[in-house]
Amino acid sequence: MYMLGNTKMGSASSFSKFCLTLLLLVVVLGSTNAQLSTNFYSKSCPKLLSTVKSTVTSAINKEARMGASLLRLFFHDCFVNGCDGSVLLDDTSSFTGEKNAIPNRNSARGFDVVDNIKSAVENVCPGVVSCADILAITARDSVEILGGPKWAVKLGRRDARSASQSAANNGIPAPTSNLNQLTSRFNALGLSTRDLVALSGAHTIGQARCTSFRARIYNESNIDASFAQTRQRNCPRTTGSGDNNLAPLDIQTPTSFDNNYFKNLVSRRGLLHSDQQLFNGGSTDSIVRGYGNSPSSFNSDFVSAMIKMGDISPLTGSRGEIRKNCRRVN
């Protein structure tokens, strides 16, 4: 009986160890594959959304263009190894980040505003909220403040400890891209052709530098002549002359988030080559027309596409870190 009892005790002990191991495994797996959720910080940082919103509002009140710049940072973050805050990292003597990659150099901006938002958030809940999530919230707030739709942002991303200049150079579509290049890049990230057109509607706000559209306004034929002449006044033909002069991506309402971008494309008044590719006798013409005719259709598809883009390869659970300063790893 003693021997038998001992065996039973041994098996019970082994079973409880097995259960404990299984529980730990579930916890570990859960922490590395955690899901994003809209209420991720509801207990750990209840004042998060109002804190971000007030800082973004004051930044846009100072300069309306800042809304487009902050929205663009989120795009340029998510398109390079996922939405992980890597675009915010400064170069150091031992580290080359993404800020000086071709798509970002002399054009990505709003980093100081992100610093201000991070400081404000750290004041209300230190060490809790990632820079990657701050970018996601800031993008939504910028759209809403400029008259666009509002949506519940999924949160729970953590920050990358590294960045990749080469991935930024290769991963962010250039303004010279054709429709096939745009479609394949978006598809590679799990974004559909409809998502591509909807997200391109972000160009209803913001400005572009002369270097980005010079070739289009002087060399292309699928462009409204008077529009080309208007843009040529502030963007000389000669490279090196007026390279950084700005023009609105949407000539009608450059600081209002609306569907005029699509109406411009139908009128052959897309500023960038890549913009006009969406309405140039190809497969996306009908989507552009649809959004030009229906603001509500554009808004709902834009929201869906933004949420999908925000789901690209986030670091969750125990991966990555919560940066104290968005410009450098802890």
Side-chain angles (χ1 to χ4, degrees):
M1 285 295 292
Y2 178 73
M3 287 291 290
L4 188 61
N6 212 9
T7 307
K8 280 184 178 176
M9 280 175 66
S11 63
S13 169
S14 298
F15 182 70
S16 62
K17 278 181 183 172
F18 171 74
C19 287
L20 185 62
T21 305
L22 196 63
L23 182 65
L24 285 171
L25 190 63
V26 167
V27 169
V28 169
L29 283 174
S31 72
T32 53
N33 294 321
Q35 297 297 304
L36 303 181
S37 71
T38 55
N39 60 354
F40 188 84
Y41 297 108
S42 57
K43 290 191 173 71
S44 59
C45 192
K47 293 182 180 174
L48 170 62
L49 297 181
S50 59
T51 302
V52 174
K53 182 82 173 279
S54 64
T55 314
V56 176
T57 301
S58 64
I60 291 176
N61 285 342
K62 281 182 196 163
E63 184 199 11
R65 182 190 174 203
M66 188 52 70
S69 299
L70 294 170
L71 176 58
R72 187 169 182 256
L73 282 182
F74 186 53
F75 273 77
H76 283 213
D77 187 35
C78 293
F79 266 68
V80 183
N81 299 328
C83 312
D84 59 3
S86 59
V87 72
L88 302 173
L89 290 170
D90 281 345
D91 290 356
T92 67
S93 55
S94 58
F95 172 86
T96 304
E98 297 163 20
K99 287 183 177 177
N100 282 307
I102 293 163
N104 295 326
R105 190 169 58 235
N106 299 323
S107 67
R109 59 197 297 275
F111 298 110
D112 292 347
V113 174
V114 175
D115 292 340
N116 293 341
I117 297 166
K118 177 64 170 172
S119 297
V121 170
E122 287 295 304
N123 283 338
V124 295
C125 43
V128 173
V129 181
S130 68
C131 299
D133 277 345
I134 284 173
L135 280 184
I137 301 165
T138 300
R140 186 275 310 273
D141 287 350
S142 296
V143 169
E144 186 197 352
I145 291 163
L146 293 174
K150 183 176 182 175
W151 63 95
V153 180
K154 289 163 71 173
L155 301 167
R157 301 168 191 81
R158 286 163 66 86
D159 296 321
R161 294 191 179 98
S162 63
S164 172
Q165 190 174 100
S166 61
N169 281 330
N170 296 320
I172 299 168
T176 53
S177 301
N178 63 35
L179 184 57
N180 283 342
Q181 290 167 326
L182 292 169
T183 304
S184 61
R185 181 63 194 133
F186 276 68
N187 288 353
L189 295 171
L191 298 167
S192 69
T193 303
R194 182 169 281 272
D195 294 329
L196 156 65
V197 181
L199 290 171
S200 297
H203 283 178
T204 183
I205 52 175
Q207 306 200 45
R209 293 183 306 141
C210 170
T211 49
S212 302
F213 60 84
R214 177 182 278 127
R216 170 151 168 76
I217 62 173
Y218 285 104
N219 303 333
E220 296 187 8
S221 57
N222 62 340
I223 187 167
D224 177 75
S226 63
F227 173 72
Q229 286 166 3
T230 300
R231 292 282 69 95
Q232 287 169 8
R233 285 184 206 128
N234 199 37
C235 181
R237 186 188 289 270
T238 312
T239 302
S241 178
D243 284 2
N244 292 321
N245 291 352
L246 298 171
L249 288 157
D250 169 4
I251 194 171
Q252 296 188 72
T253 49
T255 57
S256 293
F257 196 96
D258 55 30
N259 69 331
N260 277 334
Y261 167 82
F262 299 104
K263 295 177 183 177
N264 292 334
L265 296 186
V266 174
S267 304
R268 299 187 304 158
R269 293 192 295 178
L271 183 63
L272 306 179
H273 175 83
S274 54
D275 288 329
Q276 197 60 56
Q277 282 288 296
L278 302 178
F279 191 86
N280 194 37
S283 59
T284 51
D285 283 16
S286 59
I287 306 174
V288 170
R289 276 196 198 279
Y291 291 159
N293 292 330
S294 172
S296 59
S297 170
F298 164 52
N299 282 345
S300 62
D301 283 1
F302 181 80
V303 165
S304 299
M306 283 293 286
I307 292 168
K308 269 174 84 173
M309 185 173 74
D311 283 342
I312 298 172
S313 307
L315 298 173
T316 57
S318 56
R319 296 183 300 157
E321 63 181 17
I322 305 296
R323 273 185 232 143
K324 295 184 180 75
N325 180 327
C326 292
R327 292 175 180 267
R328 56 179 177 267
V329 296
N330 293 339

